């Protein structure tokens, strides 16, 4: 898949996953990787940026499998941002799909 496609949608994938439940970084990487091939290194800078922008808070939780894990939790600001991003995504994909369908029909 085109790297630019992935970069553009990764933000939305992380937000959607955190809307359902708090998750730690590696868990987010795994969930996204099940659908889209991504590198682990692409998620952590995004998590830092979105936390800094106030869309997530973080907390540590003990793990039976090693050191404590840093969990990310969507804030109210993050939830509002997610809903804005979903509207933008739907409008964008609808426009692209319409364009593709029109061009395919005319070929």
């Amino acid at each position: 898949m085109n790297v630019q496609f992935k970069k553009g949608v990764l933000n939305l994938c992380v937000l959607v996953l955190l809307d359902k439940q708090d998750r730690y970084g590696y868990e987010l990487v795994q969930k996204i990787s099940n659908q889209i091939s991504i590198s682990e290194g692409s998620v952590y800078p995004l998590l830092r940026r979105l936390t800094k922008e106030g869309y997530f808070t973080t907390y540590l939780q003990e793990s039976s499998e090693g050191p404590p894990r840093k969990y990310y939790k969507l804030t109210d600001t993050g939830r509002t941002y997610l809903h804005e991003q979903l509207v933008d995504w739907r409008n964008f994909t609808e426009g692209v799909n319409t364009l593709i369908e029109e061009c395919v029909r005319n070929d």
Side-chain angles (χ1 to χ4, degrees), residues 20-31:
K20 299 300 174 204
Q21 70 183 67
D22 301 355
R23 298 178 189 270
Y24 57 96
Y26 186 70
E27 181 183 13
L28 286 164
V29 170
Q30 292 302 111
K31 291 292 258 182

Side-chain angles (χ1 to χ4, degrees), residues 37-87:
S37 175
I38 60 164
S39 70
E40 187 174 335
S42 61
V43 173
Y44 290 101
L46 175 69
L47 290 171
R48 279 191 297 277
R49 180 177 58 81
L50 292 174
T51 301
K52 188 176 179 179
E53 291 174 0
Y55 300 129
F56 306 144
T57 57
T58 62
Y59 60 92
L60 290 177
Q61 186 169 321
E62 292 297 323
S63 168
S64 61
E65 300 173 14
R69 292 179 173 155
K70 184 182 200 176
Y71 278 78
Y72 294 85
K73 178 180 180 69
L74 199 61
T75 63
D76 289 339
T77 303
R79 195 159 277 107
T80 299
Y81 179 62
L82 165 60
H83 293 295
E84 291 167 358
Q85 293 293 299
L86 285 171
V87 168

